[in-house]
Amino acid sequence: MELPSYVLGMAPLHLGLILPNYGEGLDAERLARVAVTAEEAGFDSGWVTDHLLVPPEHAPIYGTIAEPLVSLGFLAARTRTLELGVSALVVPQRNPLVALKQLTTLDFLSGGRVVTAVAAGWMEGEFATLGASFERRGRLLDEWLDAAASVFEQMPGHVHWHGRLLSFEGWMAPALVRPGGLELWVAGVSRATLCRAEKTGVWHPVALPPDELRSMAAALRERRPDARVVLRIGVSFAAEPAEGRDERGRHAIAGPPEWIAERLTEYVEAGADGFVANLEYDREGLEERVRRFAEEIGPLSGGGR
């Protein structure tokens, strides 16, 4: 397949992988093996999913999740070069200062390999269970992003922030390894997420069709020309092309490798700088699909290390 000059002339695409930290196939050694396989195959990053204590009606999909930040610590010890992140960390349902300390510690322990997407959250019942405010979640996340950027500049040592929803002063160490602090992506597909992504410089939408991605990516880059867009998308190998759906009924793609690469190229032309692929995380044979994606699709789409 001949790629357009737009793709050939750009920097390599970021390729990430959804790791199996939830679902019926959850197993500690399988989780580690898939991460190592992704690293060896040349993926740039591996991503775990976040929920803490979901209502029973959401248990079939999210009830088995291994806590994501703990999972990243486990994976940091089993990998060497793979960037590790959460897609996406729901900061407002946590103690936001504890989350900040956990992330900066993971940066230290991983050698600067932590990069995480953050989100305001959508599961109201989970907020209620955790005693967190669902109504002010967006405002809290907005201020947390500003506070985190300020803390990264002040570390290590005495840090302070005095805002409307967050106010603190104390000592934050050890020093950050990644220059400039952790890379924070903003997950979501609402217009509010574009405003947040303008702060951090990286937007992480989920399962948008190319036409929707194109208009929103263009709107973001009008305000921040250097912004990056890394799309999370379900990808399945199939004998015949199809517009598929993931486990939550969201837009996904399925087909032969060249057809998948062509669809990913359409996303690149619509403004994507990379992908975090869900290669059917909960089905047997994930490691084989990871290698196949890297060998048969990665070179065609211009991605990976």
Short mmCIF file of all heavy atoms in Angstrom, two decimals, residues 47-48 50 84-91 103 115-119 141 144-145 183-188 202-204:
data_model
loop_
_atom_site.label_atom_id
_atom_site.label_comp_id
_atom_site.label_asym_id
_atom_site.label_seq_id
_atom_site.Cartn_x
_atom_site.Cartn_y
_atom_site.Cartn_z
N TRP A 47 -1.24 0.82 28.25
CA TRP A 47 -2.24 1.56 29.01
C TRP A 47 -3.18 0.64 29.78
O TRP A 47 -3.70 -0.33 29.21
CB TRP A 47 -3.05 2.43 28.05
CG TRP A 47 -2.19 3.45 27.36
CD1 TRP A 47 -1.35 3.23 26.30
CD2 TRP A 47 -2.03 4.81 27.71
NE1 TRP A 47 -0.69 4.38 25.97
CE2 TRP A 47 -1.09 5.37 26.81
CE3 TRP A 47 -2.60 5.62 28.68
CZ2 TRP A 47 -0.70 6.71 26.88
CZ3 TRP A 47 -2.23 6.95 28.75
CH2 TRP A 47 -1.28 7.48 27.85
N VAL A 48 -3.39 0.97 31.03
CA VAL A 48 -4.38 0.26 31.84
C VAL A 48 -5.61 1.15 31.98
O VAL A 48 -5.58 2.34 31.68
CB VAL A 48 -3.82 -0.11 33.22
CG1 VAL A 48 -2.67 -1.11 33.08
CG2 VAL A 48 -3.37 1.12 34.00
N ASP A 50 -9.11 2.55 34.22
CA ASP A 50 -9.42 2.97 35.58
C ASP A 50 -10.90 2.87 35.92
O ASP A 50 -11.74 3.37 35.17
CB ASP A 50 -8.98 4.43 35.79
CG ASP A 50 -9.28 4.94 37.19
OD1 ASP A 50 -9.24 4.13 38.14
OD2 ASP A 50 -9.54 6.15 37.34
N LEU A 84 4.18 3.98 30.26
CA LEU A 84 3.05 3.36 30.95
C LEU A 84 2.06 4.43 31.36
O LEU A 84 2.44 5.48 31.89
CB LEU A 84 3.54 2.60 32.19
CG LEU A 84 4.53 1.46 31.90
CD1 LEU A 84 5.19 1.00 33.17
CD2 LEU A 84 3.82 0.29 31.21
N GLY A 85 0.77 4.17 31.14
CA GLY A 85 -0.23 5.18 31.47
C GLY A 85 -1.57 4.59 31.81
O GLY A 85 -1.79 3.38 31.75
N VAL A 86 -2.49 5.47 32.19
CA VAL A 86 -3.87 5.12 32.49
C VAL A 86 -4.76 5.81 31.47
O VAL A 86 -4.65 7.01 31.26
CB VAL A 86 -4.28 5.55 33.92
CG1 VAL A 86 -5.69 5.05 34.23
CG2 VAL A 86 -3.29 5.06 34.95
N SER A 87 -5.66 5.07 30.87
CA SER A 87 -6.59 5.63 29.88
C SER A 87 -8.02 5.31 30.32
O SER A 87 -8.56 4.28 29.98
CB SER A 87 -6.32 5.04 28.50
OG SER A 87 -7.26 5.49 27.54
N ALA A 88 -8.58 6.21 31.13
CA ALA A 88 -8.02 7.45 31.63
C ALA A 88 -8.24 7.50 33.15
O ALA A 88 -9.21 6.96 33.66
CB ALA A 88 -8.71 8.65 30.98
N LEU A 89 -7.32 8.19 33.84
CA LEU A 89 -7.40 8.31 35.29
C LEU A 89 -8.48 9.32 35.67
O LEU A 89 -8.43 10.48 35.26
CB LEU A 89 -6.05 8.77 35.84
CG LEU A 89 -5.92 8.76 37.36
CD1 LEU A 89 -5.86 7.33 37.89
CD2 LEU A 89 -4.67 9.53 37.80
N VAL A 90 -9.46 8.87 36.46
CA VAL A 90 -10.56 9.75 36.87
C VAL A 90 -10.13 10.47 38.14
O VAL A 90 -10.41 10.04 39.26
CB VAL A 90 -11.86 8.95 37.08
CG1 VAL A 90 -13.02 9.91 37.38
CG2 VAL A 90 -12.19 8.13 35.84
N VAL A 91 -9.43 11.57 37.96
CA VAL A 91 -8.85 12.31 39.10
C VAL A 91 -9.91 12.78 40.09
O VAL A 91 -9.73 12.65 41.31
CB VAL A 91 -8.00 13.49 38.59
CG1 VAL A 91 -7.55 14.36 39.75
CG2 VAL A 91 -6.80 12.98 37.81
N LEU A 103 1.42 9.74 41.13
CA LEU A 103 1.94 9.89 39.78
C LEU A 103 3.39 10.34 39.77
O LEU A 103 4.20 9.83 38.98
CB LEU A 103 1.07 10.87 38.99
CG LEU A 103 -0.31 10.37 38.58
CD1 LEU A 103 -1.17 11.52 38.07
CD2 LEU A 103 -0.21 9.26 37.54
N VAL A 115 3.14 8.28 31.64
CA VAL A 115 2.39 9.30 30.91
C VAL A 115 0.93 8.89 31.05
O VAL A 115 0.56 7.77 30.74
CB VAL A 115 2.82 9.38 29.43
CG1 VAL A 115 2.89 8.01 28.79
CG2 VAL A 115 1.89 10.27 28.64
N THR A 116 0.10 9.80 31.54
CA THR A 116 -1.28 9.36 31.79
C THR A 116 -2.31 10.32 31.23
O THR A 116 -2.10 11.53 31.19
CB THR A 116 -1.51 9.16 33.30
OG1 THR A 116 -2.73 8.44 33.50
CG2 THR A 116 -1.58 10.49 34.03
N ALA A 117 -3.40 9.73 30.78
CA ALA A 117 -4.56 10.52 30.39
C ALA A 117 -5.43 10.74 31.62
O ALA A 117 -5.48 9.87 32.49
CB ALA A 117 -5.35 9.82 29.29
N VAL A 118 -6.08 11.87 31.69
CA VAL A 118 -6.98 12.16 32.80
C VAL A 118 -8.36 12.50 32.26
O VAL A 118 -8.51 12.96 31.13
CB VAL A 118 -6.45 13.32 33.68
CG1 VAL A 118 -5.13 12.95 34.32
CG2 VAL A 118 -6.30 14.61 32.86
N ALA A 119 -9.37 12.25 33.09
CA ALA A 119 -10.75 12.50 32.67
C ALA A 119 -11.58 12.92 33.86
O ALA A 119 -11.23 12.63 35.02
CB ALA A 119 -11.35 11.26 32.02
N LEU A 141 -11.14 18.95 38.03
CA LEU A 141 -10.11 18.50 37.11
C LEU A 141 -9.39 19.67 36.46
O LEU A 141 -8.15 19.66 36.32
CB LEU A 141 -10.71 17.59 36.04
CG LEU A 141 -9.71 17.02 35.02
CD1 LEU A 141 -8.61 16.23 35.69
CD2 LEU A 141 -10.44 16.17 33.98
N TRP A 144 -7.04 21.00 39.01
CA TRP A 144 -5.98 20.03 39.28
C TRP A 144 -4.91 20.08 38.19
O TRP A 144 -3.71 19.99 38.48
CB TRP A 144 -6.57 18.64 39.38
CG TRP A 144 -5.57 17.58 39.76
CD1 TRP A 144 -5.19 17.20 41.01
CD2 TRP A 144 -4.82 16.75 38.85
NE1 TRP A 144 -4.25 16.19 40.95
CE2 TRP A 144 -4.00 15.89 39.62
CE3 TRP A 144 -4.76 16.65 37.46
CZ2 TRP A 144 -3.15 14.95 39.06
CZ3 TRP A 144 -3.90 15.71 36.89
CH2 TRP A 144 -3.11 14.88 37.69
N LEU A 145 -5.32 20.23 36.94
CA LEU A 145 -4.35 20.31 35.86
C LEU A 145 -3.45 21.54 36.03
O LEU A 145 -2.22 21.46 35.82
CB LEU A 145 -5.06 20.37 34.51
CG LEU A 145 -5.67 19.06 34.02
CD1 LEU A 145 -6.57 19.31 32.81
CD2 LEU A 145 -4.59 18.04 33.68
N GLU A 183 3.90 13.80 31.50
CA GLU A 183 3.09 14.20 30.35
C GLU A 183 1.64 13.82 30.65
O GLU A 183 1.33 12.65 30.86
CB GLU A 183 3.58 13.49 29.10
CG GLU A 183 2.97 14.01 27.81
CD GLU A 183 3.64 13.43 26.59
OE1 GLU A 183 4.68 13.99 26.18
OE2 GLU A 183 3.14 12.43 26.07
N LEU A 184 0.77 14.80 30.68
CA LEU A 184 -0.64 14.57 30.98
C LEU A 184 -1.47 14.75 29.71
O LEU A 184 -1.41 15.80 29.06
CB LEU A 184 -1.12 15.55 32.06
CG LEU A 184 -0.44 15.42 33.43
CD1 LEU A 184 -0.92 16.51 34.37
CD2 LEU A 184 -0.70 14.03 34.03
N TRP A 185 -2.22 13.72 29.35
CA TRP A 185 -3.14 13.78 28.23
C TRP A 185 -4.54 14.01 28.77
O TRP A 185 -4.84 13.65 29.90
CB TRP A 185 -3.12 12.48 27.44
CG TRP A 185 -1.81 12.09 26.85
CD1 TRP A 185 -0.60 12.70 27.02
CD2 TRP A 185 -1.57 10.95 26.01
NE1 TRP A 185 0.38 12.03 26.34
CE2 TRP A 185 -0.19 10.95 25.71
CE3 TRP A 185 -2.38 9.95 25.49
CZ2 TRP A 185 0.39 9.97 24.90
CZ3 TRP A 185 -1.82 8.98 24.68
CH2 TRP A 185 -0.44 8.99 24.39
N VAL A 186 -5.39 14.58 27.97
CA VAL A 186 -6.78 14.82 28.37
C VAL A 186 -7.69 13.94 27.54
O VAL A 186 -7.72 14.04 26.31
CB VAL A 186 -7.16 16.30 28.22
CG1 VAL A 186 -8.64 16.49 28.52
CG2 VAL A 186 -6.32 17.16 29.15
N ALA A 187 -8.41 13.05 28.21
CA ALA A 187 -9.29 12.10 27.54
C ALA A 187 -10.71 12.64 27.46
O ALA A 187 -11.16 13.38 28.34
CB ALA A 187 -9.28 10.76 28.27
N GLY A 188 -11.42 12.22 26.41
CA GLY A 188 -12.82 12.60 26.28
C GLY A 188 -13.14 13.11 24.89
O GLY A 188 -12.25 13.35 24.07
N VAL A 202 -1.99 17.63 24.78
CA VAL A 202 -2.28 16.32 24.20
C VAL A 202 -3.74 15.96 24.45
O VAL A 202 -4.18 15.92 25.60
CB VAL A 202 -1.38 15.21 24.77
CG1 VAL A 202 -1.59 13.91 23.97
CG2 VAL A 202 0.09 15.60 24.74
N TRP A 203 -4.47 15.70 23.37
CA TRP A 203 -5.87 15.28 23.46
C TRP A 203 -5.96 13.79 23.15
O TRP A 203 -5.34 13.31 22.20
CB TRP A 203 -6.71 16.08 22.46
CG TRP A 203 -8.16 15.71 22.44
CD1 TRP A 203 -8.96 15.40 23.50
CD2 TRP A 203 -9.00 15.62 21.27
NE1 TRP A 203 -10.25 15.13 23.08
CE2 TRP A 203 -10.29 15.25 21.71
CE3 TRP A 203 -8.78 15.83 19.91
CZ2 TRP A 203 -11.35 15.07 20.83
CZ3 TRP A 203 -9.83 15.65 19.03
CH2 TRP A 203 -11.10 15.28 19.50
N HIS A 204 -6.73 13.07 23.98
CA HIS A 204 -6.86 11.61 23.86
C HIS A 204 -8.33 11.24 23.72
O HIS A 204 -8.98 10.81 24.67
CB HIS A 204 -6.25 10.97 25.12
CG HIS A 204 -6.25 9.48 25.13
ND1 HIS A 204 -5.79 8.71 24.08
CD2 HIS A 204 -6.63 8.60 26.10
CE1 HIS A 204 -5.88 7.44 24.40
NE2 HIS A 204 -6.41 7.33 25.60
#
